[in-house]
């Protein structure tokens, strides 16, 4: 006959086993991903999901989930356009004629990677325009994704794409920004672009809106001024596109991803994650007092906002479009230097999105995303936060980070073989994160 103590112990064990059905369901999908990674033969070079403190509580069932909360995963990936690989064979240790570099084989491995992590939103750079139509769009539609695309301007044959699972999200709106600006040829004369999408959960399309933006900035390591100006334009469009003026945040939760071609010590990352960056000293010619990096005629303030949009908000009239040139529009309205006033020429760009990087570029051992004269991190996923007057700092709002997919170190990349290789079909690694979208009032 069992003692009372032994009976209670067995009952406790049984209760804990039963808890799997309620507490562990949230993490089963990601545990399966980890097992798949471990089973594909990479062992020490496997990529695993690691949780934040909140993510650990969420997986353990210790976080109180609301009925309108939506967990979702997002991937960022520079997929290496085939025409660029063929044009610059000197950049790769693998012969461009080898099977590893053949586009159909690389694409199949990209699809396998998409399937492995099964992310809800996919942000791609270097998507060749004809490949978007003949490879990405059709294949990903069969996997449950819809997508949007923006080709780079000029004669460039690649661009950015955003795909999303249509059974999870509704595309509310989309826009794009061209960094080729005829009135700003000193720093905005390149064909790079940015692509922005506004989403809502299928289960609640009237609420829970958020924005995802992706971009591929200029590569030239000697033109940090161009990259910073390009990011200032993207932030101005994000400010306009995500504006709500509801609650204390004034903007929708936002995620920026992309290949920024910048390391963490460069001004673009400083602007995004520190909230400000000086633009003086970046150009060969010194910038005159009361002048900015970006010519005032296109109406971008030092707060990385459209001056005309700010004016519209102050007057409480329908928001203006701004003065940026766009190859598909004719409604731009160039202004004058004088019209910018005190919003311009401070020597510093700044913003109030409170971005935080999913990956810590200073963590040891150092994680990398590609090789540029050595392995470096230049690809990022960043998410917005809001400023808490209670804590006097930026904190997570309705967009919370739960997990991140681990990156390789320089040694792991070297051991696998320089990118692209048998395991990695691009010259960049994919990045992925799991977020929780909540409906709380901030």
């Amino acid at each position: 006959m069992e003692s009372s103590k032994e009976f209670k112990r067995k009952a406790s064990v049984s209760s804990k086993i039963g808890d799997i059905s309620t507490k562990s369901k949230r993490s089963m999908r990601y545990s399966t991903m980890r097992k798949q990674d471990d089973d594909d033969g990479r062992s020490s070079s496997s990529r695993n999901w690691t949780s934040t403190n909140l993510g650990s509580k969420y997986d353990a069932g210790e976080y109180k989930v609301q009925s309108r909360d939506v967990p979702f995963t997002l991937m960022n990936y520079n997929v290496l356009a085939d025409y660029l690989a063929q044009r610059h064979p000197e950049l790769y240790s693998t012969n461009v004629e080898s099977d590893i570099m053949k586009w159909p084989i690389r694409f199949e491995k990209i699809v396998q990677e998409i399937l492995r992590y099964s992310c809800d939103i996919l942000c791609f750079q270097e998507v060749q325009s004809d490949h978007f139509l003949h490879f990405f769009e059709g294949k990903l539609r069969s996997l449950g994704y819809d997508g949007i695309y923006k080709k780079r301007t000029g004669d460039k044959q690649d661009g950015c794409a955003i795909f999303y699972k249509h059974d999870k999200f509704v595309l509310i709106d989309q826009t794009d920004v061209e960094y080729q600006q005829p009135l700003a040829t000193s720093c905005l004369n390149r064909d790079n672009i940015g692509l922005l999408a506004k989403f809502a959960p299928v289960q609640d399309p009237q609420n829970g809106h958020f924005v995802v933006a992706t971009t591929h900035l200029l590569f030239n390591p000697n033109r940090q001024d161009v990259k910073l100006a390009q990011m200032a334009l993207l932030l101005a469009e994000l400010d306009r596109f995500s504006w709500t003026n509801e609650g204390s945040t004034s903007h929708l939760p936002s995620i920026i991803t992309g290949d920024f071609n910048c390391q963490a010590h460069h001004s673009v990352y400083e602007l995004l994650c520190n909230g400000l960056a000086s633009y003086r000293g970046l150009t060969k010619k010194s910038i005159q007092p009361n002048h900015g990096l970006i010519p005032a005629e296109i109406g971008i303030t030092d707060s990385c906002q459209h001056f005309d949009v700010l004016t519209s908000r102050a007057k409480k009239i329908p928001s203006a479009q701004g003065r940026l040139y766009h190859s598909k529009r004719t409604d731009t309205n160039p202004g004058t230097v004088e019209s910018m006033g005190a919003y311009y020429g401070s020597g510093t760009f700044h913003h109030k999105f409170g971005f935080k990087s999913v990956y810590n570029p200073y963590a040891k051992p150092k994680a990398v995303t590609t090789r540029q004269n050595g392995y470096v991190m230049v690809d990022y996923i960043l998410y917005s936060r809001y400023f808490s007057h209670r804590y006097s700092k930026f904190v997570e709002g309705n967009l919370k980070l739960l997990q991140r997919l681990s990156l390789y170190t320089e040694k792991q990349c070297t051991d696998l073989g320089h990118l692209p290789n048998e395991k990695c079909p691009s010259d960049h690694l994919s990045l992925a994160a799991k977020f929780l979208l909540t409906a709380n009032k901030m």
Side-chain angles (χ1 to χ4, degrees):
M1 184 174 180
E2 291 182 292
S3 67
S4 174
K5 184 181 293 186
E6 178 66 13
F7 178 81
K8 289 180 179 179
R9 184 190 70 80
K10 289 185 176 181
S12 174
V13 171
S14 176
S15 175
K16 289 179 180 178
I17 292 173
D19 282 347
I20 292 176
S21 63
T22 57
K23 288 188 176 182
S24 297
K25 281 183 177 179
R26 300 174 196 159
S27 59
M28 286 177 69
R29 172 184 173 191
Y30 300 96
S31 297
T32 301
M33 288 180 183
R34 287 192 288 270
K35 186 176 188 302
Q36 287 174 344
D37 288 346
D38 292 338
D39 288 348
D40 70 2
R42 285 189 285 177
S43 60
S44 64
S45 62
S46 63
R47 300 182 65 187
N48 301 313
W49 291 91
T50 58
S51 297
T52 62
N53 290 335
L54 178 63
S56 296
K57 292 179 181 179
Y58 181 88
D59 283 344
E62 298 171 2
Y63 177 84
K64 187 176 181 180
V65 179
Q66 304 298 320
S67 60
R68 289 163 59 188
D69 289 354
V70 179
F72 69 94
T73 48
L74 177 147
M75 172 182 282
N76 181 77
Y77 205 172
N78 180 328
V79 296
L80 178 57
D82 184 54
Y83 87 104
L84 292 175
Q86 299 298 324
R87 184 178 295 177
H88 301 287
E90 73 281 359
L91 297 177
Y92 311 105
S93 57
T94 303
N95 190 311
V96 293
E97 299 299 326
S98 69
D99 286 347
I100 290 175
M101 296 295 290
K102 290 180 179 178
W103 172 248
I105 294 176
R106 287 205 299 115
F107 179 70
E108 182 57 37
K109 291 182 178 180
I110 290 170
V111 171
Q112 290 172 9
E113 194 158 356
I114 292 169
L115 290 170
R116 180 180 301 123
Y117 302 120
S118 190
C119 290
D120 301 304
I121 298 175
L122 309 171
C123 298
F124 295 140
Q125 301 84 47
E126 285 197 26
V127 175
Q128 198 164 306
S129 55
D130 59 331
H131 288 174
F132 175 79
L133 296 172
H134 302 303
F135 287 88
F136 286 93
E137 193 172 41
K139 181 61 179 181
L140 292 182
R141 183 179 290 118
S142 73
L143 298 177
Y145 293 92
D146 286 335
I148 59 176
Y149 179 73
K150 170 66 176 177
K151 188 178 79 69
R152 285 200 286 165
T153 54
D155 61 353
K156 305 300 187 294
Q157 297 303 312
D158 66 288
C160 296
I162 299 176
F163 288 90
Y164 59 97
K165 288 188 176 177
H166 54 71
D167 64 349
K168 188 155 189 174
F169 293 115
V170 176
L171 179 66
I172 301 298
D173 198 3
Q174 68 182 82
T175 191
D176 60 76
V177 55
E178 298 177 356
Y179 303 145
Q180 177 74 259
Q181 295 293 315
L183 295 179
T185 55
S186 60
C187 61
L188 290 169
N189 59 349
R190 306 304 173 95
D191 291 316
N192 307 80
I193 56 91
L195 181 63
L196 301 89
K198 187 179 297 182
F199 294 110
V202 167
Q203 67 187 46
D204 189 14
Q206 301 305 316
N207 299 287
H209 294 187
F210 66 102
V211 173
V212 175
T214 193
T215 189
H216 189 181
L217 302 184
L218 178 70
F219 170 75
N220 190 336
N222 298 319
R223 295 305 303 270
Q224 296 300 323
D225 58 323
V226 173
K227 301 176 194 184
L228 186 61
Q230 291 178 342
M231 183 53 70
L233 260 62
L234 181 63
L235 291 176
E237 273 299 281
L238 180 62
D239 170 79
R240 183 189 66 80
F241 192 61
S242 66
W243 173 258
T244 63
N245 198 27
E246 297 177 2
S248 61
T249 57
S250 73
H251 291 83
L252 296 174
S254 300
I255 297 172
I256 288 184
T257 83
D259 176 0
F260 301 162
N261 276 312
C262 295
Q263 298 183 55
H265 62 273
H266 290 140
S267 55
V268 167
Y269 187 88
E270 290 177 355
L271 173 61
L272 290 170
C273 291
N274 296 339
L276 76 166
S278 173
Y279 53 71
R280 297 199 186 279
L282 293 180
T283 57
K284 292 182 179 180
K285 294 182 179 179
S286 61
I287 298 174
Q288 298 300 313
N290 300 321
H291 286 66
L293 175 63
I294 299 174
E297 285 81 1
I298 64 173
I300 301 298
T301 69
D302 283 354
S303 58
C304 300
Q305 295 172 295
H306 292 282
F307 179 75
D308 295 344
V309 172
L310 289 177
T311 302
S312 298
R313 290 174 188 168
K315 295 179 179 179
K316 297 183 178 180
I317 60 177
S319 181
Q321 187 73 27
R323 307 178 194 175
L324 293 184
Y325 167 82
H326 193 284
S327 59
K328 303 298 183 183
R329 285 203 317 264
T330 58
D331 58 347
T332 53
N333 179 33
T336 63
V337 174
E338 289 76 20
S339 68
M340 295 287 285
Y343 293 92
Y344 180 76
S346 68
T348 301
F349 282 137
H350 57 94
H351 67 85
K352 296 182 179 179
F353 283 104
F355 288 118
K356 184 176 182 179
S357 177
V358 166
Y359 294 91
N360 181 359
Y362 299 106
K364 301 294 183 181
K366 182 180 178 181
V368 300
T369 62
T370 190
R371 187 165 64 126
Q372 294 179 353
N373 295 322
Y375 279 99
V376 293
M377 180 184 292
V378 299
D379 305 87
Y380 302 94
I381 301 173
L382 306 104
Y383 64 104
S384 65
R385 301 174 297 169
Y386 80 101
F387 187 82
S388 168
H389 293 284
R390 178 181 180 182
Y391 298 109
S392 297
K393 65 178 182 179
F394 283 99
V395 298
E396 290 185 338
N398 286 339
L399 191 61
K400 307 178 191 301
L401 179 64
L402 299 179
Q403 292 182 323
R404 66 180 63 83
L405 180 65
S406 64
L407 290 168
Y408 289 146
T409 64
E410 179 176 6
K411 183 180 185 304
Q412 287 174 315
C413 284
T414 304
D415 290 345
L416 283 170
H418 290 313
L419 306 174
N421 55 44
E422 289 283 356
K423 300 292 184 182
C424 305
S426 175
D427 59 346
H428 289 248
L429 299 177
S430 63
L431 293 73
K434 179 183 178 185
F435 294 97
L436 181 66
L437 182 68
T438 67
N440 300 324
K441 294 292 185 182
M442 294 294 107

